[in-house]
Amino acid sequence: MVSQRILCLAMALSLTGLAPVTYAADTAAAPPECAANASLDTRVEAVLAKADRPEGQRANDANRLGETRFVLAHVKPGDHVLDMGAGGGYESYLLSAAVCSGSVDSQNPPKWVDAFKMEPARQALVAARPNVHLVTSDFGKVPLPAAPYDAIFIGTIYHDTYNEDGHDAVAMDKTLLSTLKPGGLVILTDHRTADGVAATATNTLHRIDKAQVLSDFKAAGFELVEDSSVLANPADDHSKNVFDPSIRGHTDRMALVFRRPLQ
């Protein structure tokens, strides 16, 4: 706070014709992604431009831009978000910037952390982004957060949850429902199979039938609020493993948003 003595001095100087005293703002301007009424284009561009993002992740930006825009359209500054099956943290970095004063829980199952040697990348993530917290749990055992989530992002890994021993999809989705505040969202993308395949190709092709996903979340008590074609690719015949070089990065993907009912 400016003292009364300094204010009096400033007034005296102004009366003598000297340049008035000015004071810097108490706080720096908000970064572009956190500015009031920032457009989606501004937010996406700003979070992608962060200098602390790993170079290896930047190489995927163009290919993942559609998914990034879809996700950031459903989160806002101040949100508490769970990034489920976060891997090395590609989306966790983006979400941590997009939620500004909010926070991100970056979750991976322990088998993934060990098998894919993720821990160095995860530790680098939390060192770079203080508003990111690590969660290490099986998909079906995500712990209740201290404060409910505003949103949960499940990025192209819902099919992987089916490959856990003893997996119960509806039970897992009910647990996720309990971690959300009323009106909270699940933002989900995943690789599609042909219609009618259900969950039979989750391990062989790493794909899942959209109808299976819709059925799971409906049974768990969620409302479907968006079924977007933004990540669709009609040229994908759904027959190849998603890691096949001829289709990798260009699969036909569902883009869904579910909501925990307000009541």
Side-chain angles (χ1 to χ4, degrees):
M1 181 179 292
V2 180
S3 70
Q4 184 176 0
R5 180 179 178 184
I6 294 176
L7 286 173
C8 291
L9 176 59
M11 185 177 296
L13 288 173
S14 66
L15 291 174
T16 63
L18 297 177
V21 178
T22 59
Y23 299 94
D26 290 337
T27 58
E33 68 274 14
C34 303
N37 301 318
S39 68
L40 178 60
D41 286 343
T42 295
R43 296 174 66 224
V44 170
E45 181 179 355
V47 302
L48 289 174
K50 295 296 182 185
D52 62 348
R53 295 180 60 227
E55 190 60 35
Q57 293 187 3
R58 293 176 182 276
N60 292 321
D61 287 351
N63 192 48
R64 296 187 66 163
L65 183 59
E67 181 181 65
T68 297
R69 291 180 60 84
F70 179 70
V71 174
L72 295 194
H74 296 92
V75 299
K76 61 187 182 301
D79 276 355
H80 183 201
V81 179
L82 172 65
D83 185 7
M84 192 168 168
Y90 180 90
E91 208 68 43
S92 293
Y93 272 99
L94 305 185
L95 287 166
S96 75
V99 300
C100 306
S101 61
S103 61
V104 176
D105 288 352
S106 186
Q107 180 269 345
N108 280 295
K111 287 184 178 179
W112 283 22
V113 174
D114 293 341
F116 300 110
K117 298 178 171 56
M118 292 179 177
E119 200 57 30
R122 298 176 87 212
Q123 292 302 325
L125 166 64
V126 295
R129 302 294 179 89
N131 68 336
V132 175
H133 310 99
L134 301 180
V135 176
T136 306
S137 71
D138 291 337
F139 291 123
K141 298 178 181 178
V142 172
L144 285 173
Y149 293 119
D150 296 281
I152 297 171
F153 175 54
I154 308 176
T156 62
I157 61 91
Y158 187 75
H159 71 274
D160 285 307
T161 69
Y162 269 83
N163 300 329
E164 280 194 331
D165 293 339
H167 179 67
D168 183 329
V170 174
M172 181 189 76
D173 295 346
K174 285 182 177 179
T175 296
L176 297 181
L177 185 82
S178 71
T179 69
L180 284 164
K181 63 176 55 176
L185 304 178
V186 169
I187 307 155
L188 185 150
T189 65
D190 213 340
H191 312 283
R192 294 187 61 179
T193 61
D195 293 342
V197 173
T200 61
T202 60
N203 200 30
T204 54
L205 301 182
H206 290 275
R207 297 172 180 262
I208 192 168
D209 190 340
K210 185 173 81 170
Q212 182 69 56
V213 179
L214 295 174
S215 175
D216 290 350
F217 278 88
K218 181 178 181 180
F222 283 92
E223 301 169 339
L224 177 68
V225 293
E226 185 172 352
D227 182 352
S228 173
S229 62
V230 67
L231 303 179
N233 178 12
D236 178 8
D237 67 5
H238 308 120
S239 67
K240 297 182 177 67
N241 184 295
V242 301
F243 299 110
D244 186 304
S246 67
I247 197 64
R248 186 170 188 174
H250 304 285
T251 56
D252 183 24
R253 286 168 288 164
M254 64 191 84
L256 307 171
V257 180
F258 301 95
R259 179 174 59 202
R260 175 176 175 170
L262 292 171
Q263 298 294 334

